[in-house]
Amino acid sequence: MADTNFLKVPTMAEMVEQGKHPEVLFWVGCAGSYDDRYKRVITAFVKILNEVNVNFAVLGPEESCTGDPARRAGNEFLFQMQAMQNIEVLNAYEIKKIVTACPHCFNTIKNEYPALGGNYEVMHHSQFLQSLINEGRLSVAGGEAFKGKKVTFHDSCYLGRANDVYEAPRSVLEALDADLVEMKRCKTNGLCCGAGGAQMFKEPEKGNKDINIERTEEAIGTGAEVVAVGCPFCMTMIGDGIKNKEKEKDVQVMDIAELVATSKGL
Amino acid sequence: MIQIVQQLLFVAAIGLTGYLVTKRARFIYRNIKLGKDLEIKGDSNKRFANMFRLAFGQQKMFDRPVVGLMHFAVYAGFLLINIEVLEIVIDGLTGQHRIFAAVIPSGIYHFLASFFEIMALLVTVSCFIFLIRRNALRIPRFHMAEMKGWPYRDANIILYAEIILMTMLFSMNAADAVLQTMGNSHYPAIGTFAISQFLVPIFSGLSETTLVAIERSAWWVHIIGIFAFSVYITYSKHLHIFLAFPNTYFAKMEPKGEMTNMDSVTNEVKIMLGMPVETTDTGDSDEMPTFGAKDVQDLTWRNVMNAYSCTECGRCTSQCPANITGKKLSPRKVMMDVRDRAEEIGKNIDSNGGTFQDDGKSLYGDFITKEELMACTSCNACTEACPINIDPLGIILDMRRYVAMEESSTPQEWNMVFNNIENNQAPWAFSASDRFKWGEELRTQEIKKTVTEKENA
Ligand code: SF4
Ligand code: SF4
């Protein structure tokens, strides 16, 4: 029973106006809001949420940087300013559950906001997708797009080592029937993309090589056609690495959400 | 007469060892306490479980199975041989040779002694392999800049020492076995043991006096070696054989990605935002708190204990993305620097009648440079790799706080990020009012629903 509709991206303010409360708040993050490449990931995720009728909302204009880069760069004042203002907004809307596609937002809201009075159930979008699949709300079987395609997953430090989330993204990829190949350094031994700890925003220190190049070489070395990522920073870093190696034609960098959306033809 | 002199010498040796070790232990304990207090979170059962798994069970060592096994052999050998050392100590104090042979059934005694010898052989073989690994195979992590000089020698000295100690043990037991056959009253007949029996032929032709001399010399070298060893390790990276236990017990239990909250900042931020402040202290403490860590005193005691526990194995550094790609940062060096600076501060305090006199130096700047600190991606590879859960990252991030908040000398690009977050609510220079543009654009996109419509609640 197909019928036409418009994509829904309700904001919390609009929801409250209509006297509704969402099942989950989608925390978009700065990259999702402004970065052109990453907006496509957010779009893919919104399409999935629409497709399976998840009752969600975003903060929209009321969202602000979580403060993660400020804190890792040493500016605790700025971090706490950001955190407390965000917590005020979230608490005012009585938010209980948050899903985000950014491991840095995920880590900060989940682990660091409680000390400042913000307590929420926080999920990374790979965990959320996995739960949708497990609950039978999202079916990806039958998606031919990635069947048997070699895909490798790059573990984000802030998802993996920082929070022990290794299986969720992999199980989503397996559900796609992709041929999952692991890099030599994966899971607990994963190699950083080079962007965490606010490195995203400055030139690296002197060395022999940039970290993202080292990681990209390893990813390319697996022979995978798709490098799957679950983090906006990893996406940029590996994407740049692929460009640097002039492999854009052979290797794609795609977020978990994009893979799911593509396989479903969304 | 000779017996009495020997006993007196032995008492003197044990007394001196006790004195030196205690003095050094006090010094280290005080140095660890140079660090700030810290609330230890997480329940104690989990902490004990951690300690059993990582310190007793050496779980992470087995990430590299072969090395793990050899390390385990040396460790188990060390623990078990202590039972034998106890017998030797009683011998030294009372002149009663092989006291345990008299009190436990001879079968069991014989089995135990043989078992210890097998352990001793494993220790010897492992130490030989470790020596080759360190010196001949040139594994990169043993030969980095921070491993030149003393750290390099330290690792070798201990391996040679262990080999000598074990050789003495075997010689002692072999000479003993021959003496038994001569009916010497001091050497009760208990037979030969698993490994030393093969050395017996070497000693068989010797006279009784020579054999007694050999046995006693080996005995003395063995026990004095052990005493010296106990003093030595308090100056060495081998302190980990003790500190690994408290270190794994008190290790960080919060998720690795979680940075500690600075409560001193929370109050100020609340005031700035016009929020109610509930503080426990009266707020009029005379000292302005330092934000972040410049020196060892600004770290926590756990950071300093970490530094004293570090084995300098370099597993952290060999996983560090910054180090792998040739940057100056090495988490192992960070730990070694903290320890070296803590030692320096400790000596300063002791030579100045109990108070620290400014020596114009600090951990930040003189030991760890800004370049090193700025290179960290906070990826937690180091903390994951460390066999005893040392946390170099916590130190690096606390020092970054000093750079940002006290020194205001973060790189220009980061200052721009700070400005952007403050003004645009994002690290990039986009207008905050454009934040939801993506959503407004999406709302105009028509979609085809592929599943049955079930309206949003
Ligand atoms: S957290 Fe920092 S020091 Fe530790 S491995 Fe990662 S980059 Fe290196
Ligand atoms: S911090 Fe841990 S991993 Fe690094 S050198 Fe010390 S003991 Fe080894």
Side-chain angles (χ1 to χ4, degrees), chain B residues 141 146-147 240 247 306-307 309-318 330-333 335-336 381-392:
Chain B
R141 73 189 153 98
E146 67 261 28
M147 296 309 287
H240 77 273
N247 197 73
N306 276 181
S309 315
C310 173
T311 323
E312 300 170 14
C313 65
R315 289 175 182 230
C316 50
T317 296
S318 71
S330 160
R332 167 172 59 186
K333 177 177 171 290
M335 298 321 298
M336 293 166 73
C382 51
T383 61
E384 182 75 47
C386 181
I388 52 172
N389 282 6
I390 286 172
D391 175 21

Side-chain angles (χ1 to χ4, degrees), chain A residues 161 192 211, chain B residues 316-317 319-323 329-331 334 375-383 392-393 396:
Chain A
R161 277 190 299 263
C192 179
I211 296 170
Chain B
C316 50
T317 296
Q319 297 280 338
C320 172
N323 193 277
L329 175 63
S330 160
V334 169
C376 174
T377 70
S378 69
C379 70
N380 270 304
C382 51
T383 61
L393 174 58
I396 294 171

Side-chain angles (χ1 to χ4, degrees), chain B residues 228-257:
Chain B
F229 183 89
S230 5
V231 178
Y232 178 87
I233 54 170
T234 64
Y235 290 89
S236 148
K237 74 191 191 83
H238 289 85
L239 198 52
H240 77 273
I241 61 180
F242 293 113
L243 286 184
F245 294 89
N247 197 73
T248 45
Y249 180 81
F250 289 115
K252 179 178 171 183
M253 300 277 280
E254 294 85 13
K256 285 199 166 67

